[in-house]
Amino acid sequence: MIQKIEGAYPAFVLHTTNTTYLFRVRKTGQLEHIYYGSRIHVASADDLAEQHSVAQGNSIAYTQEDLDMTLEDICLEMSGYGKGDIREPFVEVVCHNGSTTTDFVYESDAITTGKPEFETLPGSYAKDDEVDHLCICMKDKNEGFVIELHYYVYEEEDVITRSTKFINESEHPVSLRRLMSNCVDFNEADFTVSSFHGNWIKEMQKKDIVLTAGKFVNSTFAGWSSNRSNPFVMASRPGCSEWAGECYGFNLIYSGNHYEAFEVSPFDKTRFVSGINPQNFAFALEVGESFEAPEAVMTFSKEGHNGMSQNLHAFVHNHIVRGVWRDKERPVLLNSWEANYFDIDEGKLVALAKKGKEAGMELFVMDDGWFGQRSDDKRALGDWVVNTKKLPNGLKGLADKINAIGMEFGIWVEPEMINVDSDLYRAHPDWALAIPGKDHSEGRNQRILDFCNPEVVDCMTEQMRQVFSSANIAYVKWDMNRIWSDYYSPYLPAEKQQEVNHRYIMGMYRMMKTLMEEFPQILFEGCASGGNRFDLGILCYFPQIWGSDNSDAISRLSIQNGYSYGYPMNVVTAHVSACPNHQTLRNTPLSTRFNVAAFGVLGYECNLSDMKKDELEEIAAQVALYKQHRATMQFGDFYRLQEGNIYQWMVVSKDKRDAVGMMLQQEVKPNEQYVNFRAKGLDAETKYHFYSLPFKHNVKTFGSLINAVAPVHVKQDGLLHNVMAQVVKIDGETEDVTIYGDALMGVGKNLKQGFASSGFNDQVRVMTDFASRLYFMEAE
Ligand code: DGJ
């Protein structure tokens, strides 16, 4: 709900169910931010605003008519350079006369409903009655530039989004050097800023700092939203925890270079800005031309990090992800990459798919290596024609065989990239981003196609159209495997070279949108060497993203946990893979690999053809179990119960009748025998059957301790020990009680006592390093 408080200087109140955002027009024309937090009643904005009656020290008075007001010490909705506010600006231009000073003041406002589509970028979407829209028009007193500030209020999800449009209504061309999407000023310091950093195979590692002074910048120049610094950030007030306390979450619907800065001013005010990274950015606007900044997303919760995450999970599900797959259960897939890498042919793929089918898997995905001369990662990107030596019956022949087995067929592509060793490059060397005549720095032996050039976008779109319609393709993994270097588009003139990253991203979105609309039934999965482009821009087109090339269950704990702060778990895909794990060489139990992957969208990526019978049986049981709880796992509410040596996660179906919990112990700690599983999100009044599934321990888990009970001496790893391991199976502990929801959430379930050397029976919870358990909670 948006309310305008009329007056000579109006104020605007944006209410969601539990939050309020408030600002007013100052008598000097700037927009003064007053409040963003828990929902409040606002009778008068002026009575709530900060009171400034004495000018501070050596700061700048904005105007001689109001010597007590300096823009440096006022919370603002936007700010430029040169009029006294020396904090992070919202907008930066270089005018025709070389000036960088702007002086934007309020001109008009309009309140409507509905969410119009942006012209050049993806954005959130909603039915008209789901979102209210406020547009404030600001005009620059010096040159006449116009800035439209758009606010969209998603009442139900407690989310407000913002976007900005700059229109050059001056009489001269202008160079736009920065246009932020969001700016929120708080009249306080000491926020804990949390951001998510990493690299290949270690995405989304949460880092916290307390910002008492100075500036903290979370940004990337990788060319993409990147695994180095995800655009999602949080700001928490002192004392905020997972379950209580005040917390803000911010994100950006954008996949290119982004920028999020928190700055504490000498007046102890914290400014947050976010938008396109101004580094190496300049956009030339002729008279009458305009520029759209990406849409920014923000939420507030007084219910801790969990409350903030729940808001964003609902928002991303309801207003970012779209298309037929949004609410459709995702199939359990089997991907060929870690089973075969580039060494694929029809026979191997069909054999692997048959094993997958036997285990209950539903979709077979042929990964890299199927096209052109693609025998390794040095060649053929750009040549999207099937390699008939590997697939003599073409894509259709293979797809038909997979379909005949009873599985859907999916394919891998990397349509934004080109190898120099490709027919495409030989025909169009000027289609890659590279500085003509200069050495080029490559990544994974490949270059980035010049998507600033519409002809390149159209050609690659057509190539993909041909591939996607050449067979019965149900799924596409859209990969992208290098970061940017040598920022240069041969298509653009010299003076537009600082537009390259943004123009590329707009071209890429155009291609994604075209193909998504033409092939609505295809399930698209975004991928960028794992999570190198995990952002809300991509999620506007693809309903799921491969979270990391790291499929090690233990590495995945912090990776998936990191994503869960800002993204719902049904956009994060996760696979069970072989051991030792290909990324870490770590051995983890097969059960743990499943238990962790099941909290994302589950898939398998290992050579089932080489696996032992008992492993295949275990996998078949996992797939069956997952399908039984799939609706809950993929569309339920996700909770982080515990992080650290012991991780506990839980997901609860929307109707609260089904819930699944996981407890994983990374390292055995001696004599730490008691673990409590304290649930969240259940119905207090309902009785739940809390149980775990029966399982057996391998005798060898106990090593030579077997001699404490064996009537004859058993030599460890000797013949007798090996035979016993085959024949004797020891019952593991199980849980099986019925408890009210409020008790499960209040007391928690005290799990069976843990093993501590001096005693064992089937009531003792034996968990070696990296062991885990699933707990089921079903309403009676
Ligand atoms: C990187 C991806 O993240 C992997 O899963 C795989 O698809 C390879 N690319 C293929 O080249």
Side-chain angles (χ1 to χ4, degrees):
M1 188 180 93
I2 298 173
Q3 183 193 348
K4 179 176 177 183
I5 303 178
E6 301 284 356
Y9 306 107
F12 301 90
V13 195
L14 283 55
H15 285 303
T16 69
T17 308
N18 299 297
T19 71
T20 297
Y21 187 104
L22 170 66
F23 61 94
R24 67 170 177 173
V25 179
R26 283 194 65 87
K27 64 179 183 212
T28 45
Q30 291 79 25
L31 299 182
E32 181 179 2
H33 178 84
I34 298 174
Y35 175 75
Y36 182 34
S38 288
R39 187 162 173 151
I40 53 168
H41 296 95
V42 180
S44 148
D46 297 341
D47 291 346
L48 297 173
E50 231 179 26
Q51 302 194 44
H52 295 261
S53 46
V54 178
Q56 294 266 358
N58 66 350
S59 53
I60 300 294
Y62 170 66
T63 160
Q64 287 302 105
E65 274 86 68
D66 189 356
L67 290 172
D68 297 328
M69 198 276 277
T70 172
L71 293 180
E72 188 185 352
D73 187 26
I74 291 213
C75 292
L76 295 167
E77 290 294 301
M78 63 153 292
S79 184
Y81 267 150
K83 302 304 288 180
D85 184 356
I86 51 173
R87 296 167 291 180
E88 281 277 332
F90 189 79
V91 58
E92 247 182 282
V93 294
V94 178
C95 300
H96 65 102
N97 58 2
S99 164
T100 55
T101 294
T102 50
D103 190 2
F104 284 92
V105 291
Y106 166 85
E107 188 159 86
S108 64
D109 63 83
I111 298 175
T112 53
T113 57
K115 180 71 177 50
E117 267 196 41
F118 297 122
E119 284 161 39
T120 57
L121 294 169
S124 62
Y125 76 102
K127 297 190 200 109
D128 280 0
D129 60 355
E130 290 175 325
V131 62
D132 293 313
H133 175 197
L134 167 66
C135 175
I136 305 273
C137 188
M138 305 287 288
K139 194 156 180 107
D140 170 44
K141 282 161 73 177
N142 290 354
E143 295 292 330
F145 308 126
V146 167
I147 281 186
E148 288 175 5
L149 299 174
H150 295 268
Y151 298 79
Y152 301 97
V153 180
Y154 287 95
E155 202 164 325
E156 204 179 307
E157 291 82 7
D158 285 329
V159 163
I160 294 172
T161 71
R162 272 183 74 166
S163 69
T164 316
K165 187 170 183 177
F166 184 101
I167 308 158
N168 182 9
E169 286 191 6
S170 77
E171 289 169 1
H172 304 277
V174 65
S175 176
L176 183 64
R177 298 296 171 95
R178 156 195 298 236
L179 184 66
M180 289 290 111
S181 300
N182 201 1
C183 172
V184 186
D185 280 353
F186 300 91
N187 56 2
E188 64 191 286
D190 300 340
F191 280 101
T192 296
V193 175
S194 306
S195 47
F196 296 82
H197 304 271
N199 205 331
W200 181 60
I201 64 173
K202 56 174 207 178
E203 294 84 351
M204 289 305 276
Q205 304 302 308
K206 179 169 169 280
K207 308 284 177 192
D208 301 326
I209 58 142
V210 178
L211 197 65
T212 55
K215 196 182 289 187
F216 173 80
V217 174
N218 177 70
S219 70
T220 176
F221 194 58
W224 321 112
S225 49
S226 92
N227 48 26
R228 299 351 187 227
S229 298
N230 194 273
F232 167 66
V233 292
M234 312 191 301
S236 316
R237 291 214 162 84
C240 179
S241 70
E242 182 68 14
W243 308 111
E246 300 193 324
C247 175
Y248 298 84
F250 301 101
N251 209 337
L252 195 64
I253 307 178
Y254 194 59
S255 308
N257 288 329
H258 61 87
Y259 183 82
E260 296 76 36
F262 291 85
E263 180 177 9
V264 175
S265 77
F267 301 94
D268 277 343
K269 290 187 164 65
T270 302
R271 167 165 292 176
F272 169 72
V273 294
S274 78
I276 295 173
N277 192 343
Q279 182 179 332
N280 192 35
F281 171 86
F283 219 92
L285 293 176
E286 296 298 323
V287 174
E289 285 186 338
S290 58
F291 182 90
E292 286 177 324
E295 187 177 353
V297 175
M298 59 184 145
T299 191
F300 166 82
S301 175
K302 61 176 187 214
E303 287 165 12
H305 298 147
N306 169 64
M308 187 251 2
S309 294
Q310 298 301 340
N311 294 350
L312 290 179
H313 291 181
F315 175 75
V316 173
H317 182 78
N318 295 339
H319 302 295
I320 295 290
V321 176
R322 61 203 75 187
V324 291
W325 281 99
R326 189 188 81 162
D327 298 308
K328 200 165 152 183
E329 289 184 23
R330 317 281 165 78
V332 178
L333 68 76
L334 173 60
N335 178 296
S336 69
W337 181 241
E338 287 195 14
N340 300 102
Y341 292 105
F342 292 102
D343 182 20
I344 54 169
D345 60 44
E346 190 183 278
K348 278 187 193 144
L349 295 174
V350 172
L352 182 60
K354 278 186 181 152
K355 289 282 181 194
K357 174 68 187 170
E358 280 164 27
M361 295 169 201
E362 299 155 314
L363 165 70
F364 180 76
V365 179
M366 172 176 64
D367 209 278
D368 198 352
W370 59 268
F371 52 92
Q373 301 306 311
R374 186 78 169 163
S375 49
D376 56 27
D377 65 8
K378 294 191 174 55
R379 66 204 85 240
L381 287 175
D383 301 342
W384 298 103
V385 178
V386 73
N387 181 321
T388 47
K389 282 202 189 106
K390 294 180 179 183
L391 305 179
N393 302 303
L395 283 181
K396 177 153 178 15
L398 176 63
D400 288 349
K401 286 191 176 156
I402 302 293
N403 289 165
I405 293 168
M407 293 179 94
E408 301 274 24
F409 176 68
I411 195 171
W412 177 97
V413 292
E414 191 175 1
E416 302 160 62
M417 297 286 148
I418 184 166
N419 286 118
V420 168
D421 185 359
S422 68
D423 292 342
L424 186 70
Y425 188 84
R426 282 182 278 275
H428 298 286
D430 56 335
W431 276 16
L433 292 177
I435 311 161
K438 308 290 177 202
D439 287 346
H440 185 269
S441 301
E442 313 229 339
R444 209 195 187 201
N445 312 300
Q446 64 197 50
R447 298 187 181 186
I448 303 170
L449 278 164
D450 183 3
F451 275 19
C452 302
N453 181 348
E455 195 189 352
V456 179
V457 175
D458 291 341
C459 171
M460 299 319 293
T461 306
E462 179 55 25
Q463 287 210 40
M464 288 304 116
R465 189 179 283 126
Q466 296 292 332
V467 171
F468 300 166
S469 50
S470 67
N472 186 19
I473 291 174
Y475 161 105
V476 168
K477 177 176 173 186
W478 183 306
D479 205 349
M480 182 288 294
N481 280 298
R482 58 158 291 173
I483 64 164
W484 284 51
S485 65
D486 305 274
Y487 284 64
Y488 198 92
S489 159
Y491 172 77
L492 293 175
E495 64 275 13
K496 286 188 170 288
Q497 289 303 328
Q498 287 171 299
E499 300 177 10
V500 173
N501 186 251
H502 185 65
R503 282 189 181 275
Y504 177 99
I505 298 293
M506 291 192 290
M508 177 195 84
Y509 286 147
R510 180 164 73 82
M511 179 173 175
M512 289 178 174
K513 183 171 194 288
T514 306
L515 291 167
M516 184 195 96
E517 286 174 356
E518 281 181 31
F519 297 92
Q521 77 291 354
I522 289 183
L523 171 59
F524 284 96
E525 176 165 336
C527 173
S529 315
N532 194 30
R533 201 164 59 186
F534 200 110
D535 60 67
L536 298 179
I538 296 298
L539 288 172
C540 288
Y541 303 107
F542 305 158
Q544 56 189 45
I545 302 178
W546 178 225
S548 174
D549 271 358
N550 193 338
S551 54
D552 175 305
I554 302 308
S555 308
R556 276 278 182 156
L557 290 171
S558 57
I559 293 171
Q560 291 178 201
N561 205 70
Y563 283 124
S564 79
Y565 280 92
Y567 303 89
M569 296 318 285
N570 70 356
V571 305
V572 185
T573 56
H575 295 175
V576 173
S577 63
C579 268
N581 175 270
H582 290 199
Q583 291 76 46
T584 60
L585 299 181
R586 185 173 10 226
N587 281 299
T588 49
L590 183 51
S591 54
T592 287
R593 283 174 263 159
F594 167 74
N595 294 347
V596 173
F599 278 79
V601 173
L602 176 71
Y604 286 77
E605 188 169 336
C606 45
N607 198 343
L608 300 176
S609 307
D610 284 354
M611 281 184 146
K612 294 192 211 90
K613 188 166 160 285
D614 57 342
E615 286 178 317
L616 292 173
E617 283 168 5
E618 188 174 341
I619 287 176
Q622 292 174 348
V623 174
L625 181 69
Y626 182 76
K627 285 181 185 168
Q628 204 182 323
H629 295 276
R630 171 161 45 191
T632 301
M633 301 305 289
Q634 293 187 357
F635 300 104
D637 294 330
F638 175 85
Y639 297 92
R640 296 173 294 271
L641 301 181
Q642 193 177 345
E643 300 167 12
N645 188 46
I646 292 184
Y647 263 83
Q648 293 191 18
W649 292 334
M650 173 170 182
V651 59
V652 184
S653 67
K654 292 283 178 202
D655 66 3
K656 298 183 185 288
R657 301 209 51 86
D658 183 45
V660 181
M662 184 206 69
M663 190 269 287
L664 186 149
Q665 170 185 269
Q666 301 198 54
E667 187 196 333
V668 176
K669 303 275 186 190
N671 208 0
E672 287 191 3
Q673 303 172 47
Y674 301 102
V675 175
N676 178 276
F677 184 90
R678 198 157 159 207
K680 288 282 172 186
L682 300 175
D683 178 56
E685 308 296 327
T686 300
K687 272 185 177 170
Y688 289 88
H689 179 202
F690 181 103
Y691 67 95
S692 60
L693 295 174
F695 70 103
K696 305 279 185 191
H697 290 295
N698 186 326
V699 166
K700 290 184 117 183
T701 303
F702 299 87
S704 60
L705 264 181
I706 188 78
N707 289 306
V709 290
V712 292
H713 182 75
V714 180
K715 183 175 169 216
Q716 189 172 355
D717 291 329
L719 181 64
L720 179 57
H721 203 192
N722 288 335
V723 171
M724 285 176 80
Q726 294 298 319
V727 190
V728 184
K729 297 285 178 195
I730 301 171
D731 282 335
E733 97 291 353
T734 49
E735 305 287 346
D736 188 1
V737 288
T738 298
I739 308 183
Y740 274 105
D742 57 3
L744 263 175
M745 294 188 289
V747 183
K749 174 70 183 84
N750 288 306
L751 302 175
K752 294 268 161 70
Q753 186 178 358
F755 178 79
S757 181
S758 47
F760 171 75
N761 58 39
D762 64 0
Q763 300 295 307
V764 172
R765 183 170 43 81
V766 173
M767 291 180 76
T768 51
D769 287 351
F770 313 134
S772 61
R773 300 282 191 269
L774 288 185
Y775 300 112
F776 301 90
M777 285 145 274
E778 286 168 12
E780 293 222 316

